[in-house]
Amino acid sequence: MGRPPCCDKEGVKKGPWTPEEDIILVSYIQEHGPGNWRAVPTKTGLSRCSKSCRLRWTNYLRPGIRRGNFTEQEEKMIIHLQDLLGNRWAAIASYLPQRTDNDIKNYWNTHLRKKLKKLQTDCEGSSGEGFAASRQIPRGQWERRLQTDIQMAKKALSEALSPEKASCLSASNSNPSDSSSSFSSTKPAQSLCYASSAENIARMLKGWMKNPPKSSRTNSSVTQNSFNNLAAAGADTASSGAKGPSSVELSENFESLFEFDQSLESSNSDQFSQSVSPEATVLQDENKPDIGAEIMPFSMLEKWLLDEASCQEKVGCGDAKFF
DNA sequence: AACGCGTTCAACCGCCCGAGT
DNA sequence: TACTCGGGCGGTTGAACGCGT
């Protein structure tokens, strides 16, 4: 019982999107909001697969997307998140609201992977205790850390599931530069035009769009999914510890993680102050309507990391704690 | 100018998951 | 419970582009 393709192969256009197609898609979404992608090709008359429409929107046309030129902060963030979450590009992208998962994935594959590889070989070549070597830990310790991770994940999850704690976590993440507060506070402004201030679309739509949007529907599925991914990330790390290096590697490189946490803060403030106008913030709110909820698991992760880090400082604290 | 090669990135493909029935 | 369907995700592809020869 094979599943039929998402759309008829015949009569479906493939390949690069034309500006005309973009305009049609954007005007449709501007009017109806993203979602119900199945209906998009028929309603718009586009000879495109529904998936293709969704992809075009999420990866290219969606407002608030920043393209190219990844900053050093973003690089660090991607590297660390990749280390934590593995190739969960959507989850990683949820921490970089201006970047798409596809962009991050591409950037990782084209730039960062090579960069890290080079770094790794350089380290290995230059000293006996290279990058890879430094990551090796005794098996017993590895197992104990894994157990610790599991406990932490359980704890974090139970906290996340508790409404009080959850709100606490959100509130604790009250970094002035943190966009979550503005996200939640700008919720009422969701009816803002989808394409009105996104640089990439505004240019294209100049002179085209005159009517205000009718709908305030939001693209919730992406972020919801991201949230789910992230909420699951902790559990994954714990439950499938043997699957990937994340839980182990998580316990390492704490210095760099602290560095990262700091850079993350400055990164957020930098990014949002330099490139996000109040209007754009609202746009991001549209893109990530549940961003407040997304921040929460990040707090969990931060907490997790910091807990472990503090334990790391005290010799063998984590190990003694659970054994 | 022409060619080959490497890189980049938009787009596609196939699988998976959750919601609905 | 079993099945269908829509949507999301990650891996892969291939056209476009840049650069060196």
Side-chain angles (χ1 to χ4, degrees), chain A residues 23 60 195-208:
Chain A
I23 289 166
Y60 200 86
S196 61
S197 66
E199 215 179 285
N200 48 346
I201 304 175
R203 275 199 302 272
M204 192 172 72
L205 288 178
K206 225 169 195 174
W208 273 71

Side-chain angles (χ1 to χ4, degrees), chain A residues 21 76 111 200 209 322:
Chain A
E21 288 176 312
K76 276 186 185 176
H111 293 90
N200 48 346
M209 309 285 37
F322 297 105

Side-chain angles (χ1 to χ4, degrees), chain A residues 277-299:
Chain A
S277 62
E279 191 180 23
T281 309
V282 174
L283 278 166
Q284 287 192 356
D285 182 36
E286 288 174 356
N287 299 333
K288 309 278 180 178
D290 293 326
I291 194 83
E294 284 180 314
I295 295 301
M296 187 189 73
F298 191 33
S299 298

Side-chain angles (χ1 to χ4, degrees), chain A residues 261-281:
Chain A
D261 284 337
Q262 284 167 3
S263 71
L264 178 64
E265 279 184 34
S266 61
S267 146
N268 281 344
S269 56
D270 284 348
Q271 280 178 22
F272 288 112
S273 62
Q274 76 179 214
S275 63
V276 180
S277 62
E279 191 180 23
T281 309

Side-chain angles (χ1 to χ4, degrees), chain A residues 4-75:
Chain A
C6 70
C7 36
D8 295 334
K9 296 277 179 189
E10 293 169 17
V12 173
K13 194 182 167 192
K14 286 186 184 179
W17 281 65
T18 64
E20 288 78 18
E21 288 176 312
D22 283 343
I23 289 166
I24 291 168
L25 181 60
V26 167
S27 24
Y28 175 83
I29 290 169
Q30 192 180 33
E31 201 162 328
H32 300 90
N36 194 14
W37 295 107
R38 181 90 173 158
V40 172
T42 48
K43 293 265 178 72
T44 58
L46 285 168
S47 318
R48 292 280 183 174
C49 169
S50 58
K51 270 188 172 184
S52 184
C53 294
R54 180 176 57 82
L55 221 62
R56 183 64 180 170
W57 170 256
T58 54
N59 287 341
Y60 200 86
L61 300 173
R62 187 164 58 93
I65 291 177
R66 199 161 117 205
R67 314 199 65 76
N69 295 331
F70 278 71
T71 64
E72 204 175 321
Q73 311 286 7
E74 285 175 314
E75 264 191 28

Side-chain angles (χ1 to χ4, degrees), chain A residues 108-293:
Chain A
W108 174 265
N109 287 331
T110 54
H111 293 90
L112 297 180
R113 208 161 52 175
K114 286 178 198 167
K115 214 171 178 176
L116 286 177
K117 209 170 184 176
K118 190 170 178 288
L119 207 79
Q120 193 173 341
T121 49
D122 284 354
C123 286
E124 278 171 353
S126 61
S127 74
E129 292 193 9
F131 182 73
S134 71
R135 298 171 84 83
Q136 287 172 3
I137 51 176
R139 183 187 158 82
Q141 197 182 351
W142 185 93
E143 283 172 353
R144 283 195 297 276
R145 281 184 181 176
L146 184 57
Q147 286 292 338
T148 308
D149 288 347
I150 290 167
Q151 295 289 345
M152 287 294 197
K154 281 181 183 171
K155 193 179 159 195
L157 274 174
S158 64
E159 278 180 8
L161 290 171
S162 153
E164 282 179 21
K165 298 260 184 173
S167 61
C168 223
L169 281 167
S170 297
S172 72
N173 198 2
S174 57
N175 181 352
S177 61
D178 187 353
S179 53
S180 64
S181 52
S182 57
F183 286 145
S184 53
S185 67
T186 51
K187 280 269 175 187
Q190 276 184 359
S191 60
L192 191 77
C193 160
Y194 273 96
S196 61
S197 66
E199 215 179 285
N200 48 346
I201 304 175
R203 275 199 302 272
M204 192 172 72
L205 288 178
K206 225 169 195 174
W208 273 71
M209 309 285 37
K210 289 176 183 170
N211 300 326
K214 291 177 187 169
S215 169
S216 62
R217 277 169 56 186
T218 56
N219 188 1
S220 63
S221 50
V222 170
T223 50
Q224 184 59 48
N225 211 308
S226 303
F227 169 75
N228 291 341
N229 284 341
L230 283 158
D236 272 4
T237 310
S239 62
S240 62
K243 174 184 151 195
S246 42
S247 69
V248 179
E249 290 173 2
L250 185 67
S251 312
E252 304 172 14
N253 303 321
F254 280 116
E255 282 178 8
S256 59
L257 275 170
F258 281 127
E259 211 179 280
F260 164 63
D261 284 337
Q262 284 167 3
S263 71
L264 178 64
E265 279 184 34
S266 61
S267 146
N268 281 344
S269 56
D270 284 348
Q271 280 178 22
F272 288 112
S273 62
Q274 76 179 214
S275 63
V276 180
S277 62
E279 191 180 23
T281 309
V282 174
L283 278 166
Q284 287 192 356
D285 182 36
E286 288 174 356
N287 299 333
K288 309 278 180 178
D290 293 326
I291 194 83

